[in-house]
Amino acid sequence: MHWSEKIAKRLIESHPEQQTFVCASGISPSGHIHIGNFREIVTTYFVSKALEKAGKKVRFIFSWDDFDRFRKVPVHVDPSFGQYIGRPYTQVPCPYGCHTSYAEHFEQEFEQALSAFGIRPEFIYQSKEYQSRRYAPGILQALRSRGEIYDILMAFKTGEASEAERATFYPVSVYCGDCGKDSTTVHYFDEEQGLLTYSCKCGHHCTMSVAEAENIKLQWKIDWPMRWNLEQVLFEPGGRDHSSETGSYNVASVISEKIFENEPPMYEPYEFIRIKGSFAKMSSSSGNNYTPDDLLKVYAPENILFLFAKYQPDAEFHIGMDEDVLRNYTEFERYRKAHDSRTLTDDMDSAVELSLIHPLNDRIPSFGPIAGLLPLIHFDLHLLQEIMTRNGEVVDADGLKQTAERAEYWIKHWMPQKLVTVNSSRDTALYDTLETHEQAWLEAFCGLLRTGGLEDEQMMTEIYAICYNEDKKTMKNNQKRLFTLIYQLVLGQETGPRIPVLIQAVGLDRLLALLDF
């Protein structure tokens, strides 16, 4: 049973009478949303799919925490944006001038990427929820229970509680009605009238009605359980940093039960994802990250989903843009075929099924052969399709185009060493170092090329026969040596595409010009 199905099973057993299962996730739009953040939403997505598979109705919500304060200027944003630190993300201008706000820019970027995966949650924008006053009752409840909340928070800290500190504790942040920043101090809360008095470093003073205010926000560990209660959330994952004994989830769970009288949702901690070769945590502000868009330029959406589906949420893994790309494609293609033939074990079969966005199209070509062939034909898509058709492959034109574009992007941006070219002249120096029998192999190979008219399989049989030896091990080594020599003399490297494909890509005349000494 796949891990998402196990979680779904526990949820159903814990809530046997539940009509709708609310599954939640959320992210702050602090910058480009990276694939570490993506694990948050994809975990919820898989559990939602498993619940639906079990016949349950699901409400899959995703909260944009865009009423959070702008804390830090990311490396990709103009340093002058430091002037906006302390404002909510929705009140910071778009750093690229193309959206109404900082928040909207990164929200739209991520939402568009999610649509490529077929992930379409119900988006909740926290700035709108707060400013619509929907959360006013929860804010008032927290303010009236501020002493008890202080006690709960201090129970999770090592420091000593203080009566003076308790008396001046307020579980809210206030954005100044004048400068718009949260550089404010709350001085008094009138419980009977629901009035809150604050001042700001900018010199602004104000007393306002909490029920009518649009600039008050609960602190994170109180905000989270307030929303659990309001949305009746039953499942939500969280990163390892929220999952320690004194972490946000445990604190929020106590506040949920004691302040909002609501059972906290089932929680699934997930591990961080690393960039291969880097030990640093992915971060939107540091630029040390891959975004879903970065991966989608190289991987098909199904491949990316499979990477997340095959690992348990608490398993750390890394993603590289090197030869791992070929390995990941090959692995998914192998499992995809096994899924079609129904020969997979339950958990891996479910992982593939969760990864599928559209019905499988067997005519989409494998990534590896395409990536190996494209540089030889100067990334000519028309010639690529012609070669594949000539080899008897029936491929989907759109699928071939997408695969070729991803392979081209990968090679040109991440693996330039694969930009192989055909040698411009005979490598006489190499040829002169060969043994007499090796030169005879090449002569026999050129004879086969001149004969022509051979089908691919027949040609391969004839090529293998060139190196015939009664000792099978010796013959196999000889055959491998012949192919290596062909690739070296034609491409200047020891590997290359299948010989029939090489012939079609390079051309018979040019191949003979490089191999006939």
Side-chain angles (χ1 to χ4, degrees):
M1 183 181 288
H2 189 260
W3 58 261
S4 64
E5 295 170 327
K6 291 177 183 176
I7 293 172
K9 185 173 182 288
R10 294 204 308 270
L11 278 167
I12 294 168
E13 289 173 348
S14 299
H15 306 277
E17 305 300 322
Q18 191 70 31
Q19 297 298 310
T20 300
F21 288 78
V22 181
C23 299
S25 58
I27 297 172
S28 174
S30 58
H32 297 297
I33 309 302
H34 55 71
I35 56 168
N37 303 134
F38 183 68
R39 194 170 203 178
E40 162 99 12
I41 190 170
V42 81
T43 300
T44 311
Y45 171 67
F46 289 151
V47 172
S48 297
K49 295 268 283 186
L51 284 165
E52 289 173 347
K53 186 179 178 181
K56 300 301 178 181
K57 186 178 179 181
V58 178
R59 182 177 175 228
F60 174 19
I61 62 175
F62 179 90
S63 287
W64 278 115
D65 294 325
D66 53 10
F67 205 50
D68 286 0
R69 73 189 300 270
F70 181 48
R71 297 184 301 106
K72 184 179 180 181
V73 182
V75 293
H76 56 81
V77 172
D78 192 303
S80 66
F81 270 63
Q83 66 184 298
Y84 302 114
I85 287 175
R87 288 188 180 185
Y89 287 113
T90 50
Q91 297 303 311
V92 177
C94 173
Y96 306 106
C98 51
H99 290 85
T100 59
S101 70
Y102 187 100
E104 187 184 57
H105 180 90
F106 296 109
E107 288 168 353
Q108 289 291 311
E109 180 182 81
F110 189 61
E111 287 178 22
Q112 289 173 15
L114 286 182
S115 66
F117 297 96
I119 299 176
R120 297 178 179 86
E122 174 189 338
F123 290 105
I124 298 176
Y125 303 89
Q126 292 305 317
S127 58
K128 293 180 181 178
E129 299 301 306
Y130 270 104
Q131 292 171 340
S132 73
R133 306 181 185 89
R134 183 182 177 216
Y135 295 157
I139 296 172
L140 283 166
Q141 187 174 352
L143 283 167
R144 288 172 178 143
S145 306
R146 59 195 182 93
E148 191 176 352
I149 290 174
Y150 174 83
D151 294 339
I152 294 169
L153 295 175
M154 291 307 297
F156 284 87
K157 294 181 179 179
T158 55
E160 291 290 326
S162 158
E163 280 302 320
E165 188 179 64
R166 189 177 192 271
T168 58
F169 170 75
Y170 296 91
V172 295
S173 297
V174 179
Y175 290 110
C176 177
D178 190 8
C179 71
K181 296 186 177 183
D182 65 349
S183 51
T184 56
T185 301
V186 177
H187 298 288
Y188 181 70
F189 173 63
D190 184 326
E191 290 192 22
E192 288 188 9
Q193 297 187 61
L195 299 177
L196 183 141
T197 301
Y198 76 92
S199 67
C200 180
K201 289 181 179 179
C202 73
H204 182 68
H205 293 260
C206 182
T207 296
M208 59 185 175
S209 167
V210 173
E212 298 299 320
E214 298 180 5
N215 59 330
I216 303 176
K217 181 187 181 301
L218 287 171
Q219 293 174 8
W220 161 241
K221 292 175 184 177
I222 301 93
D223 170 274
W224 203 12
M226 180 273 293
R227 286 191 266 154
W228 287 342
N229 180 43
L230 198 62
E231 305 295 353
Q232 288 297 287
V233 176
L234 296 181
F235 172 77
E236 183 164 3
R240 187 182 68 189
D241 49 346
H242 295 308
S243 310
S244 66
E245 188 175 338
T246 58
S248 300
Y249 175 73
N250 284 337
V251 177
S253 293
V254 176
I255 292 172
S256 183
E257 291 173 336
K258 293 189 175 181
I259 306 302
F260 298 105
E261 299 179 345
N262 179 60
E263 181 184 350
M266 182 182 293
Y267 180 78
E268 184 67 28
Y270 59 83
E271 262 292 353
F272 298 133
I273 299 168
R274 306 288 182 186
I275 292 176
K276 186 177 181 181
S278 171
F279 295 99
K281 178 185 174 183
M282 283 198 203
S283 163
S284 295
S285 60
S286 70
N288 179 57
N289 62 62
Y290 292 148
T291 67
D293 271 338
D294 290 331
L295 295 188
L296 285 168
K297 289 173 183 174
V298 173
Y299 287 102
E302 292 86 352
N303 292 77
I304 300 170
L305 289 175
F306 181 70
L307 279 175
F308 287 87
K310 72 175 183 174
Y311 288 106
Q312 297 281 340
D314 61 356
E316 181 180 313
F317 66 95
H318 66 249
I319 292 181
M321 291 295 210
D322 54 5
E323 293 286 350
D324 281 1
V325 171
L326 288 178
R327 284 189 282 271
N328 288 332
Y329 262 105
T330 301
E331 179 187 46
F332 179 69
E333 288 161 3
R334 184 176 71 250
Y335 281 123
R336 184 182 68 182
K337 289 176 182 176
H339 170 78
D340 272 356
S341 62
R342 301 185 180 182
T343 58
L344 274 182
T345 56
D346 287 346
D347 56 340
M348 291 307 294
D349 192 58
S350 296
V352 174
E353 188 176 335
L354 285 167
S355 307
L356 303 182
I357 301 169
H358 305 292
L360 283 178
N361 187 344
D362 289 334
R363 293 184 298 165
I364 295 178
S366 296
F367 182 88
I370 299 302
L373 180 57
L374 275 174
L376 295 179
I377 57 174
H378 307 290
F379 301 96
D380 186 327
L381 181 61
H382 178 75
L383 181 54
L384 173 65
Q385 187 163 0
E386 186 180 300
I387 290 173
M388 297 191 73
T389 302
R390 202 184 307 160
N391 287 332
E393 294 190 45
V394 181
V395 296
D396 174 74
D398 289 337
L400 178 63
K401 183 174 183 292
Q402 290 176 353
T403 303
E405 286 174 349
R406 291 181 183 119
E408 181 174 356
Y409 185 90
W410 176 59
I411 292 168
K412 289 183 175 179
H413 289 82
W414 295 99
M415 294 293 286
Q417 59 268 41
K418 289 190 175 292
L419 285 168
V420 296
T421 56
V422 179
N423 292 344
S424 58
S425 60
R426 291 192 190 98
D427 189 345
T428 305
L430 173 60
Y431 182 80
D432 288 343
T433 65
L434 303 183
E435 301 287 341
T436 303
H437 65 274
E438 292 174 332
Q439 294 178 350
W441 293 343
L442 290 170
E443 186 177 345
F445 178 69
C446 289
L448 279 176
L449 294 181
R450 292 193 190 89
T451 301
L454 297 176
E455 296 294 331
D456 288 355
E457 293 308 315
Q458 185 182 359
M459 172 176 285
M460 291 306 298
T461 300
E462 295 289 344
I463 295 172
Y464 285 130
I466 290 172
C467 303
Y468 176 78
N469 191 290
E470 290 185 0
D471 181 71
K472 290 185 178 180
K473 184 176 180 181
T474 300
M475 182 170 66
K476 189 173 182 179
N477 289 335
N478 289 347
Q479 291 165 345
K480 183 178 179 181
R481 174 63 175 160
L482 171 59
F483 291 139
T484 299
L485 291 174
I486 292 170
Y487 295 134
Q488 285 179 319
L489 291 166
V490 176
L491 305 176
Q493 61 179 32
E494 295 187 352
T495 59
R498 292 183 69 246
I499 297 299
V501 175
L502 180 71
I503 295 168
Q504 294 173 39
V506 176
L508 186 61
D509 292 341
R510 192 173 182 189
L511 207 61
L512 283 169
L514 293 170
L515 295 174
D516 189 357
F517 289 84

